[in-house]
Amino acid sequence: GMSLGKAIAQAAHAVMLFDDRWPPCAHEKVALWRQRGRPLSIEGVSPARLSTLVWETSLSVVVRDAGLTEIPAGTTTAGAVLR
């Protein structure tokens, strides 16, 4: 598994990737999220639950690790989902 610091960094990467991926005009929900100051919550979920969350909405991203520190390259470590 990941250390707490690694998990926090991966969650931050997910939010940054999400913000970069979706332009302001992409979706009304994205625009509203930005207008509200990009609020977020962090939830620890299993890989299966993360897959389900990502599958349920197109407004999502996943982070796959480069494998330079604690876990193998390509491991899905975090995701960001706009609900």
Side-chain angles (χ1 to χ4, degrees), residues 43-64:
E43 182 180 344
V45 298
S46 69
R49 178 69 180 136
L50 178 58
S51 293
T52 299
L53 289 169
V54 168
W55 183 82
E56 288 175 346
T57 179
S58 61
L59 297 174
S60 62
V61 297
V62 295
V63 176
R64 290 185 178 79

PDB file of all heavy atoms in Angstrom, residues 43-64:
ATOM      1  N   GLU A  43     -11.931  10.850   0.061  1.00  0.00           N
ATOM      2  CA  GLU A  43     -12.536   9.623   0.555  1.00  0.00           C
ATOM      3  C   GLU A  43     -11.641   8.452   0.163  1.00  0.00           C
ATOM      4  O   GLU A  43     -11.259   8.320  -0.996  1.00  0.00           O
ATOM      5  CB  GLU A  43     -13.910   9.468  -0.095  1.00  0.00           C
ATOM      6  CG  GLU A  43     -14.685   8.265   0.343  1.00  0.00           C
ATOM      7  CD  GLU A  43     -16.043   8.189  -0.355  1.00  0.00           C
ATOM      8  OE1 GLU A  43     -16.495   9.184  -0.935  1.00  0.00           O
ATOM      9  OE2 GLU A  43     -16.632   7.102  -0.303  1.00  0.00           O
ATOM     10  N   GLY A  44     -11.287   7.641   1.119  1.00  0.00           N
ATOM     11  CA  GLY A  44     -10.523   6.433   0.822  1.00  0.00           C
ATOM     12  C   GLY A  44     -11.463   5.345   0.323  1.00  0.00           C
ATOM     13  O   GLY A  44     -12.431   5.006   1.005  1.00  0.00           O
ATOM     14  N   VAL A  45     -11.208   4.852  -0.874  1.00  0.00           N
ATOM     15  CA  VAL A  45     -12.060   3.812  -1.451  1.00  0.00           C
ATOM     16  C   VAL A  45     -11.198   2.692  -2.018  1.00  0.00           C
ATOM     17  O   VAL A  45     -10.028   2.880  -2.310  1.00  0.00           O
ATOM     18  CB  VAL A  45     -12.991   4.370  -2.557  1.00  0.00           C
ATOM     19  CG1 VAL A  45     -13.935   5.411  -1.996  1.00  0.00           C
ATOM     20  CG2 VAL A  45     -12.199   4.934  -3.716  1.00  0.00           C
ATOM     21  N   SER A  46     -11.805   1.551  -2.196  1.00  0.00           N
ATOM     22  CA  SER A  46     -11.106   0.417  -2.800  1.00  0.00           C
ATOM     23  C   SER A  46     -10.904   0.676  -4.297  1.00  0.00           C
ATOM     24  O   SER A  46     -11.622   1.495  -4.884  1.00  0.00           O
ATOM     25  CB  SER A  46     -11.927  -0.860  -2.616  1.00  0.00           C
ATOM     26  OG  SER A  46     -13.103  -0.781  -3.421  1.00  0.00           O
ATOM     27  N   PRO A  47      -9.965  -0.019  -4.918  1.00  0.00           N
ATOM     28  CA  PRO A  47      -9.806   0.121  -6.376  1.00  0.00           C
ATOM     29  C   PRO A  47     -11.101  -0.180  -7.130  1.00  0.00           C
ATOM     30  O   PRO A  47     -11.424   0.502  -8.106  1.00  0.00           O
ATOM     31  CB  PRO A  47      -8.713  -0.895  -6.706  1.00  0.00           C
ATOM     32  CG  PRO A  47      -7.905  -0.996  -5.457  1.00  0.00           C
ATOM     33  CD  PRO A  47      -8.921  -0.861  -4.342  1.00  0.00           C
ATOM     34  N   ALA A  48     -11.862  -1.161  -6.676  1.00  0.00           N
ATOM     35  CA  ALA A  48     -13.121  -1.495  -7.339  1.00  0.00           C
ATOM     36  C   ALA A  48     -14.120  -0.338  -7.224  1.00  0.00           C
ATOM     37  O   ALA A  48     -14.808   0.002  -8.200  1.00  0.00           O
ATOM     38  CB  ALA A  48     -13.718  -2.760  -6.744  1.00  0.00           C
ATOM     39  N   ARG A  49     -14.213   0.278  -6.063  1.00  0.00           N
ATOM     40  CA  ARG A  49     -15.127   1.408  -5.869  1.00  0.00           C
ATOM     41  C   ARG A  49     -14.695   2.594  -6.715  1.00  0.00           C
ATOM     42  O   ARG A  49     -15.534   3.279  -7.308  1.00  0.00           O
ATOM     43  CB  ARG A  49     -15.202   1.793  -4.390  1.00  0.00           C
ATOM     44  CG  ARG A  49     -16.090   2.979  -4.114  1.00  0.00           C
ATOM     45  CD  ARG A  49     -17.565   2.668  -4.344  1.00  0.00           C
ATOM     46  NE  ARG A  49     -18.360   3.840  -4.053  1.00  0.00           N
ATOM     47  CZ  ARG A  49     -19.362   4.280  -4.807  1.00  0.00           C
ATOM     48  NH1 ARG A  49     -19.727   3.620  -5.883  1.00  0.00           N
ATOM     49  NH2 ARG A  49     -20.024   5.357  -4.474  1.00  0.00           N
ATOM     50  N   LEU A  50     -13.391   2.865  -6.797  1.00  0.00           N
ATOM     51  CA  LEU A  50     -12.898   3.950  -7.636  1.00  0.00           C
ATOM     52  C   LEU A  50     -13.278   3.702  -9.091  1.00  0.00           C
ATOM     53  O   LEU A  50     -13.754   4.605  -9.780  1.00  0.00           O
ATOM     54  CB  LEU A  50     -11.384   4.116  -7.496  1.00  0.00           C
ATOM     55  CG  LEU A  50     -10.759   5.203  -8.371  1.00  0.00           C
ATOM     56  CD1 LEU A  50     -11.382   6.568  -8.100  1.00  0.00           C
ATOM     57  CD2 LEU A  50      -9.257   5.241  -8.163  1.00  0.00           C
ATOM     58  N   SER A  51     -13.116   2.479  -9.556  1.00  0.00           N
ATOM     59  CA  SER A  51     -13.506   2.145 -10.932  1.00  0.00           C
ATOM     60  C   SER A  51     -14.983   2.415 -11.165  1.00  0.00           C
ATOM     61  O   SER A  51     -15.377   2.952 -12.206  1.00  0.00           O
ATOM     62  CB  SER A  51     -13.190   0.684 -11.242  1.00  0.00           C
ATOM     63  OG  SER A  51     -11.814   0.475 -11.261  1.00  0.00           O
ATOM     64  N   THR A  52     -15.806   2.052 -10.193  1.00  0.00           N
ATOM     65  CA  THR A  52     -17.246   2.284 -10.309  1.00  0.00           C
ATOM     66  C   THR A  52     -17.555   3.773 -10.364  1.00  0.00           C
ATOM     67  O   THR A  52     -18.335   4.224 -11.199  1.00  0.00           O
ATOM     68  CB  THR A  52     -18.000   1.634  -9.134  1.00  0.00           C
ATOM     69  OG1 THR A  52     -17.763   0.226  -9.164  1.00  0.00           O
ATOM     70  CG2 THR A  52     -19.492   1.904  -9.200  1.00  0.00           C
ATOM     71  N   LEU A  53     -16.936   4.556  -9.487  1.00  0.00           N
ATOM     72  CA  LEU A  53     -17.171   5.999  -9.463  1.00  0.00           C
ATOM     73  C   LEU A  53     -16.779   6.646 -10.786  1.00  0.00           C
ATOM     74  O   LEU A  53     -17.497   7.483 -11.326  1.00  0.00           O
ATOM     75  CB  LEU A  53     -16.401   6.653  -8.313  1.00  0.00           C
ATOM     76  CG  LEU A  53     -16.912   6.367  -6.915  1.00  0.00           C
ATOM     77  CD1 LEU A  53     -15.903   6.846  -5.875  1.00  0.00           C
ATOM     78  CD2 LEU A  53     -18.261   7.022  -6.695  1.00  0.00           C
ATOM     79  N   VAL A  54     -15.631   6.247 -11.315  1.00  0.00           N
ATOM     80  CA  VAL A  54     -15.155   6.800 -12.582  1.00  0.00           C
ATOM     81  C   VAL A  54     -16.075   6.374 -13.724  1.00  0.00           C
ATOM     82  O   VAL A  54     -16.402   7.162 -14.613  1.00  0.00           O
ATOM     83  CB  VAL A  54     -13.694   6.380 -12.847  1.00  0.00           C
ATOM     84  CG1 VAL A  54     -13.268   6.693 -14.273  1.00  0.00           C
ATOM     85  CG2 VAL A  54     -12.769   7.063 -11.847  1.00  0.00           C
ATOM     86  N   TRP A  55     -16.544   5.137 -13.686  1.00  0.00           N
ATOM     87  CA  TRP A  55     -17.424   4.631 -14.731  1.00  0.00           C
ATOM     88  C   TRP A  55     -18.763   5.353 -14.725  1.00  0.00           C
ATOM     89  O   TRP A  55     -19.368   5.573 -15.771  1.00  0.00           O
ATOM     90  CB  TRP A  55     -17.624   3.127 -14.554  1.00  0.00           C
ATOM     91  CG  TRP A  55     -18.461   2.508 -15.614  1.00  0.00           C
ATOM     92  CD1 TRP A  55     -18.050   2.119 -16.850  1.00  0.00           C
ATOM     93  CD2 TRP A  55     -19.861   2.218 -15.542  1.00  0.00           C
ATOM     94  NE1 TRP A  55     -19.107   1.601 -17.558  1.00  0.00           N
ATOM     95  CE2 TRP A  55     -20.232   1.649 -16.776  1.00  0.00           C
ATOM     96  CE3 TRP A  55     -20.830   2.379 -14.561  1.00  0.00           C
ATOM     97  CZ2 TRP A  55     -21.535   1.240 -17.049  1.00  0.00           C
ATOM     98  CZ3 TRP A  55     -22.132   1.976 -14.836  1.00  0.00           C
ATOM     99  CH2 TRP A  55     -22.464   1.414 -16.069  1.00  0.00           C
ATOM    100  N   GLU A  56     -19.218   5.757 -13.545  1.00  0.00           N
ATOM    101  CA  GLU A  56     -20.533   6.386 -13.410  1.00  0.00           C
ATOM    102  C   GLU A  56     -20.592   7.816 -13.948  1.00  0.00           C
ATOM    103  O   GLU A  56     -21.668   8.341 -14.172  1.00  0.00           O
ATOM    104  CB  GLU A  56     -20.969   6.390 -11.940  1.00  0.00           C
ATOM    105  CG  GLU A  56     -21.342   5.020 -11.417  1.00  0.00           C
ATOM    106  CD  GLU A  56     -21.646   5.012  -9.931  1.00  0.00           C
ATOM    107  OE1 GLU A  56     -21.326   5.990  -9.227  1.00  0.00           O
ATOM    108  OE2 GLU A  56     -22.188   3.999  -9.465  1.00  0.00           O
ATOM    109  N   THR A  57     -19.468   8.470 -14.131  1.00  0.00           N
ATOM    110  CA  THR A  57     -19.470   9.847 -14.624  1.00  0.00           C
ATOM    111  C   THR A  57     -18.314  10.080 -15.581  1.00  0.00           C
ATOM    112  O   THR A  57     -17.229   9.549 -15.394  1.00  0.00           O
ATOM    113  CB  THR A  57     -19.383  10.870 -13.480  1.00  0.00           C
ATOM    114  OG1 THR A  57     -19.359  12.186 -14.039  1.00  0.00           O
ATOM    115  CG2 THR A  57     -18.153  10.687 -12.629  1.00  0.00           C
ATOM    116  N   SER A  58     -18.563  10.877 -16.588  1.00  0.00           N
ATOM    117  CA  SER A  58     -17.477  11.247 -17.507  1.00  0.00           C
ATOM    118  C   SER A  58     -16.646  12.381 -16.929  1.00  0.00           C
ATOM    119  O   SER A  58     -15.555  12.662 -17.418  1.00  0.00           O
ATOM    120  CB  SER A  58     -18.054  11.660 -18.867  1.00  0.00           C
ATOM    121  OG  SER A  58     -18.898  12.786 -18.715  1.00  0.00           O
ATOM    122  N   LEU A  59     -17.141  13.030 -15.882  1.00  0.00           N
ATOM    123  CA  LEU A  59     -16.410  14.121 -15.250  1.00  0.00           C
ATOM    124  C   LEU A  59     -15.483  13.555 -14.183  1.00  0.00           C
ATOM    125  O   LEU A  59     -15.704  13.684 -12.985  1.00  0.00           O
ATOM    126  CB  LEU A  59     -17.394  15.136 -14.652  1.00  0.00           C
ATOM    127  CG  LEU A  59     -18.290  15.844 -15.653  1.00  0.00           C
ATOM    128  CD1 LEU A  59     -19.317  16.706 -14.934  1.00  0.00           C
ATOM    129  CD2 LEU A  59     -17.463  16.675 -16.613  1.00  0.00           C
ATOM    130  N   SER A  60     -14.420  12.897 -14.647  1.00  0.00           N
ATOM    131  CA  SER A  60     -13.499  12.237 -13.727  1.00  0.00           C
ATOM    132  C   SER A  60     -12.127  12.080 -14.358  1.00  0.00           C
ATOM    133  O   SER A  60     -11.968  12.207 -15.570  1.00  0.00           O
ATOM    134  CB  SER A  60     -14.040  10.854 -13.349  1.00  0.00           C
ATOM    135  OG  SER A  60     -14.132  10.050 -14.508  1.00  0.00           O
ATOM    136  N   VAL A  61     -11.147  11.836 -13.513  1.00  0.00           N
ATOM    137  CA  VAL A  61      -9.796  11.472 -13.946  1.00  0.00           C
ATOM    138  C   VAL A  61      -9.257  10.433 -12.970  1.00  0.00           C
ATOM    139  O   VAL A  61      -9.714  10.340 -11.835  1.00  0.00           O
ATOM    140  CB  VAL A  61      -8.816  12.675 -13.988  1.00  0.00           C
ATOM    141  CG1 VAL A  61      -9.248  13.707 -15.003  1.00  0.00           C
ATOM    142  CG2 VAL A  61      -8.633  13.302 -12.627  1.00  0.00           C
ATOM    143  N   VAL A  62      -8.291   9.661 -13.417  1.00  0.00           N
ATOM    144  CA  VAL A  62      -7.572   8.753 -12.530  1.00  0.00           C
ATOM    145  C   VAL A  62      -6.091   9.061 -12.617  1.00  0.00           C
ATOM    146  O   VAL A  62      -5.603   9.565 -13.626  1.00  0.00           O
ATOM    147  CB  VAL A  62      -7.819   7.255 -12.856  1.00  0.00           C
ATOM    148  CG1 VAL A  62      -9.256   6.885 -12.615  1.00  0.00           C
ATOM    149  CG2 VAL A  62      -7.412   6.940 -14.271  1.00  0.00           C
ATOM    150  N   VAL A  63      -5.387   8.766 -11.543  1.00  0.00           N
ATOM    151  CA  VAL A  63      -3.941   8.938 -11.486  1.00  0.00           C
ATOM    152  C   VAL A  63      -3.308   7.557 -11.502  1.00  0.00           C
ATOM    153  O   VAL A  63      -3.690   6.686 -10.712  1.00  0.00           O
ATOM    154  CB  VAL A  63      -3.516   9.699 -10.203  1.00  0.00           C
ATOM    155  CG1 VAL A  63      -2.011   9.795 -10.107  1.00  0.00           C
ATOM    156  CG2 VAL A  63      -4.158  11.072 -10.156  1.00  0.00           C
ATOM    157  N   ARG A  64      -2.354   7.382 -12.389  1.00  0.00           N
ATOM    158  CA  ARG A  64      -1.575   6.143 -12.434  1.00  0.00           C
ATOM    159  C   ARG A  64      -0.130   6.506 -12.115  1.00  0.00           C
ATOM    160  O   ARG A  64       0.442   7.385 -12.743  1.00  0.00           O
ATOM    161  CB  ARG A  64      -1.708   5.481 -13.809  1.00  0.00           C
ATOM    162  CG  ARG A  64      -3.101   4.924 -14.012  1.00  0.00           C
ATOM    163  CD  ARG A  64      -3.252   4.162 -15.315  1.00  0.00           C
ATOM    164  NE  ARG A  64      -4.586   3.611 -15.435  1.00  0.00           N
ATOM    165  CZ  ARG A  64      -5.669   4.303 -15.801  1.00  0.00           C
ATOM    166  NH1 ARG A  64      -5.569   5.590 -16.060  1.00  0.00           N
ATOM    167  NH2 ARG A  64      -6.845   3.727 -15.886  1.00  0.00           N
TER     168      ARG A  64
END
